Amino acid sequence: MSYVPYHEPNTITMFAGPCSIESAKQLDEVGAALSDLGLSWIRGGAFKPRTSPYSFQGLGEEGLKIMSDVGEKYGLKTLTEIVDTAHIDMVMSYISALQIGTRNMANFELLKAVGAATAENHKPVLFKRGMAATIDEWLSAVEYLTVGGNPNVMLCERGLRTFETSTRFTLDISAVPVVHKRSLFPICVDVSHPAGQVDLVPSLAKAAIAAGCDALMIEIHPNPPKAKSDASQQLTLPDFAELLEELKAVAAAVGKTIV
Ligand code: PEP
Ligand code: MN
């Protein structure tokens, strides 16, 4: 297994964007900000795996169209979560890279289908760790995605369910060096979902860079209090711009640039 082409050595890929794609205007504002900052990716959910059926479920295909338009307008690559085998062709037709979320890490039929669908086209896949999965289970499950021949897979640590309630999930920073020791997959750290609150995001992001992450995921929103999902953990666009400057300095200290 070699490093994925969509991750260059000595870079940290920034996957920033809203939790959910909510409207063309919302995503356009985020896309404009990311491109002004010189970043290359935008993230956002169109199919949201929500804890409650009464919560916002995402815009579905309309959201994918919005993301595709914003990606094209600002020259950004696009990342969105896939939750159903029936959506694979549709999502791949709009989006640069597929995310498999924590709730689907052990949905092996979805993994098999995504592995088969990306075997030839090598579409990048970001594979999150299950919130109650061991690193062994995660590194075993990722093979479902690569066994068909797609080498373009990046792992993503996003926090575990533990007895601790001060944070939304407990971020397992040690997953970064363990994954590097045990595999050749690059590893992203999603710092927003474990934080659950904006004020913890900067420290977790700096810790992830210091630990050697290859990518970061940070949720941002033009108007976080009005966000339709994960309102308390999304940074405003100016706060994100400020944080990015601090993160660039930490990245430089470990010989990396943020892209
Ligand atoms: C997300 O990144 O939008 C998401 C739902 O994350 P997770 O699967 O880690 O909860
Ligand atoms: Mn979210």
Side-chain angles (χ1 to χ4, degrees):
M1 185 72 54
S2 59
Y3 272 89
V4 295
Y6 83 115
H7 178 258
E8 300 293 331
N10 301 322
T11 63
I12 296 172
T13 304
M14 178 64 77
F15 297 114
C19 181
S20 300
I21 301 162
E22 298 170 3
S23 68
K25 181 173 177 291
Q26 172 232 23
L27 205 71
D28 190 271
E29 284 180 47
V30 176
L34 293 172
S35 105
D36 280 352
L37 293 168
L39 295 171
S40 41
W41 285 84
I42 184 168
R43 63 138 281 145
F47 294 93
K48 296 303 298 178
R50 305 306 300 282
T51 303
S52 164
Y54 307 111
S55 301
F56 178 60
Q57 302 289 307
L59 295 180
E61 188 168 6
E62 187 194 340
L64 300 177
K65 283 187 188 140
I66 290 172
M67 184 167 249
S68 164
D69 289 346
V70 166
E72 207 159 299
K73 179 170 172 187
Y74 295 105
L76 295 166
K77 287 176 270 186
T78 52
L79 172 69
T80 204
E81 180 169 353
I82 177 135
V83 295
D84 190 331
T85 53
H87 300 158
I88 293 176
D89 288 343
M90 174 178 59
V91 173
M92 285 201 309
S93 72
Y94 290 107
I95 299 293
S96 320
L98 308 175
Q99 175 174 315
I100 294 176
T102 191
R103 291 161 188 81
N104 279 314
M105 189 208 89
N107 180 347
F108 300 119
E109 294 306 318
L110 178 63
L111 305 188
K112 280 183 206 170
V114 170
T118 59
E120 306 261 300
N121 64 19
H122 293 188
K123 198 91 154 167
V125 182
L126 186 73
F127 186 46
K128 288 202 173 190
R129 180 180 181 181
M131 64 178 84
T134 65
I135 293 174
D136 270 342
E137 289 165 335
W138 186 26
L139 289 178
S140 179
V142 71
E143 304 282 333
Y144 279 104
L145 298 170
T146 56
V147 68
N150 183 6
N152 261 343
V153 176
M154 183 183 278
L155 297 168
C156 182
E157 163 63 37
R158 51 78 68 206
L160 302 174
R161 179 73 82 215
T162 69
F163 54 80
E164 182 54 69
T165 54
S166 302
T167 50
R168 189 175 177 196
F169 296 94
T170 300
L171 181 61
D172 183 9
I173 278 286
S174 18
V176 176
V178 172
V179 160
H180 281 154
K181 187 165 143 184
R182 303 252 318 267
S183 81
L184 290 173
F185 293 106
I187 178 167
C188 174
V189 179
D190 167 359
V191 292
S192 296
H193 290 90
Q197 42 203 308
V198 273
D199 56 323
L200 300 180
V201 166
S203 303
L204 297 186
K206 289 171 195 169
I209 296 172
C213 72
D214 304 292
L216 277 171
M217 177 172 286
I218 300 183
E219 287 190 341
I220 62 175
H221 193 285
N223 187 357
K226 289 269 151 70
K228 293 190 174 171
S229 58
D230 289 351
S232 59
Q233 71 193 29
Q234 303 199 61
L235 270 69
T236 64
L237 307 182
D239 284 353
F240 175 70
E242 205 173 297
L243 174 60
L244 185 63
E245 286 311 304
E246 293 178 28
L247 298 183
K248 280 181 185 170
V250 182
V254 294
K256 292 182 182 170
T257 53
I258 299 179
V259 296

